[in-house]
Structure formats: structure tokens, C-alpha cells
Amino acid sequence: MRKYVLAVCDDEEYYAEELYRYISTYGNERELDIVCDTYPSGRALLEKVENGESYDMVFLDVEMPEIDGIRTAVLLKQKLEFVVICFATSFDEYAMNAFELSAEGYMIKPVAYKKLKEVLDKALILLDYHKNREEAEKKYIEIEVGRGKEIIDVTKILYLEKRRNQCVFHFRDRELICYQSLVNVFKLLNQNLFLYTHQGYIVNLDEIKQVGKEWVYLGEGVEVPLSRGKAKEVRQRHYKRVFGDE
């Protein structure tokens, strides 16, 4: 299990502790090894980095005494080989500064846990690409969503569904509409892990709990159609996935 080292820098103790709790909760939910330190000022954080401490990601309050969050971010990027920066502030007027610094996240306090999860999900993808691009490219794909693109972790996909000319990604906790065809998305996926159960459905083999006559069961009440033409292959590959080659 890869270890992620994070820091929270905020002169307001309440907000620092709240972010720390949220990050700990996120690590437990995702079953990740996350270490998080807290600092009351940019100066204290920078001194620690000067003495050899390194961080993968830093959450910075913008308005702090002596050295503000913007200046702290500039100095951190000079001192660390690679660090993901996220600003957390009570004032959205600093958003432009954040974008100019190429900050990967910007949150308005009080921070909602849902927003923190979104920021961390994206940050960990960036960190994985930085640490081991070859492995990351096997785990993530880039898809077209809305007016932009999003990188997603394919191991989190339950199944994909054709909906008109779009492809819908189904996860345990959300859906994501992709503006690419199901056929084209399938070409991006690891075809040892994903397979068609129906002309309009693709399933993650690791998520299959049971293969029925007309349905594939993914647990927690999730069912995906199984066509007669695909049934034999799905059963064989599910059996092989569970029991091996024998």
C-alpha cells in the first residue's frame, strides 16, 4: 500500500482540526495509508521542509500572519520536487491567484466533506502519475465529460451503460456521463478486467458476485442485463476470475 504524506497549514485551529479529521476519515474510507501533519503558520511549515520534511500534498489557508498562503505555496513549489497544493479560505476573491499558481484545488471554508473527497480523489491521481506513470496508466483512463476531460480510476467502476450516444460510468457512490461511445470507451479499458454482458453494458469482472440466467449481480441490489449471446463467455470468465485456470 502506497503511503501519502499530507499537511494542513492554517492559523485557525478549528479549521485545521476539521480538515485533519476529514482527511483521516477519507483515508479510512478508501483504505489508504495517509499521514497528515498540521501547522499553525506558513513559516512553521517552511521551516520543517527546510529541515528535510517532504509532503505529497499541502492544504493552505490563504490569509495567515507573516507569510500568507499564496507566498507559502510559491516557496513550497521551489523547495519540493513535486507537491499538490490546495487552498482553503473563507474568501473566494483569491481564486484567480490560486489558478495562476496552478493550484490543484480551491475550497471555501467551512469545507464540505464531499468537496474534500473530490479534491483528494483528483490529487491522488496526480500523485500516482508522478510516482509511477507506467502503473498509473494501467489504472487510470482519461474520458470526455461536459466541456472538459476527467481522469478516473478504472478499478472503481462497477459497470458502464450505453445511453443514447453517451456512455454512463456507474460507481458505488455516483454516476458519470461520458461524451464518448461505449464502443470507444471499451477500447481504453483493460479487456482482461472488463467485458460486455449485453450490447449496451460492460461490467468490471472483479465486481461480479453472481451470474444468473438473465442478469449479472454486482451486490447491494445492483443488477446488469445479461444477453443470451454473452452468457456463456461471462460465466466462463467469472468462474476463471474466482477459481483461477483450473
Side-chain angles (χ1 to χ4, degrees):
M1 180 186 296
R2 186 178 179 283
K3 181 179 180 180
Y4 299 93
V5 184
L6 280 59
V8 173
C9 184
D10 197 320
D11 62 315
E12 296 180 273
E13 186 178 354
Y14 170 80
Y15 288 120
E17 290 181 351
E18 182 179 59
L19 263 183
Y20 178 87
R21 289 195 301 271
Y22 282 169
I23 291 168
S24 297
T25 300
Y26 176 90
N28 291 333
E29 286 182 356
R30 296 288 198 270
E31 297 182 341
L32 297 170
D33 183 5
I34 295 180
V35 174
C36 184
D37 297 329
T38 60
Y39 295 92
S41 69
R43 184 175 298 281
L45 169 60
L46 290 166
E47 286 177 356
K48 196 72 172 181
V49 171
E50 283 281 4
N51 290 325
E53 190 65 75
S54 182
Y55 291 101
D56 295 312
M57 182 176 188
V58 177
F59 291 88
L60 289 169
D61 182 23
V62 174
E63 288 202 325
M64 293 187 290
E66 294 187 74
I67 305 175
D68 66 21
I70 303 295
R71 181 59 179 163
T72 302
V74 171
L75 295 173
L76 283 174
K77 284 183 173 288
Q78 291 175 358
K79 296 175 186 297
L80 297 175
E81 178 190 354
F82 183 84
V83 61
V84 176
I85 298 291
C86 177
F87 290 110
T89 179
S90 302
F91 307 98
D92 59 7
E93 64 194 72
Y94 297 105
M96 188 55 67
N97 300 78
F99 291 129
E100 288 173 356
L101 268 174
S102 300
E104 288 74 23
Y106 189 88
M107 305 183 296
I108 301 298
K109 295 191 291 188
V111 175
Y113 181 53
K114 180 180 179 182
K115 177 62 177 178
L116 178 76
K117 288 198 294 184
E118 292 174 1
V119 169
L120 281 170
D121 282 344
K122 292 179 180 179
L124 297 192
I125 291 172
L126 290 174
L127 291 168
D128 284 350
Y129 265 98
H130 174 69
K131 297 292 184 180
N132 191 333
R133 187 174 185 87
E134 184 177 340
E135 285 300 312
E137 286 178 347
K138 295 177 183 177
K139 186 179 180 183
Y140 302 106
I141 60 171
E142 186 177 69
I143 60 171
E144 297 174 8
V145 293
R147 296 180 180 179
K149 295 186 177 182
E150 183 167 336
I151 297 174
I152 63 170
D153 183 343
V154 298
T155 65
K156 305 297 183 185
I157 300 169
L158 286 180
Y159 69 97
L160 301 93
E161 172 190 2
K162 178 182 179 181
R163 192 177 292 174
R164 295 182 290 279
N165 294 324
Q166 300 168 344
C167 172
V168 181
F169 286 73
H170 292 267
F171 305 88
R172 287 287 176 199
D173 56 353
R174 65 173 179 141
E175 292 183 2
L176 184 65
I177 296 175
C178 170
Y179 294 90
Q180 295 168 255
S181 69
L182 189 67
V183 171
N184 286 336
V185 170
F186 184 61
K187 294 175 183 177
L188 301 175
L189 297 169
N190 178 351
Q191 294 174 26
N192 290 320
L193 181 61
F194 291 88
L195 79 163
Y196 277 92
T197 63
H198 184 280
Q199 184 178 3
Y201 292 85
I202 296 169
V203 166
N204 181 342
L205 266 169
D206 285 344
E207 296 292 342
I208 296 177
K209 303 296 186 285
Q210 183 180 350
V211 180
K213 185 176 181 181
E214 297 180 342
W215 299 90
V216 172
Y217 302 93
L218 307 181
E220 300 181 19
V222 180
E223 302 174 352
V224 176
L226 176 64
S227 68
R228 185 177 301 176
K230 301 290 185 183
K232 182 178 179 180
E233 179 189 2
V234 172
R235 289 195 179 91
Q236 287 178 340
R237 291 187 62 182
H238 171 58
Y239 185 92
K240 184 178 179 180
R241 198 79 176 175
V242 174
F243 299 104
D245 294 332
E246 295 183 3

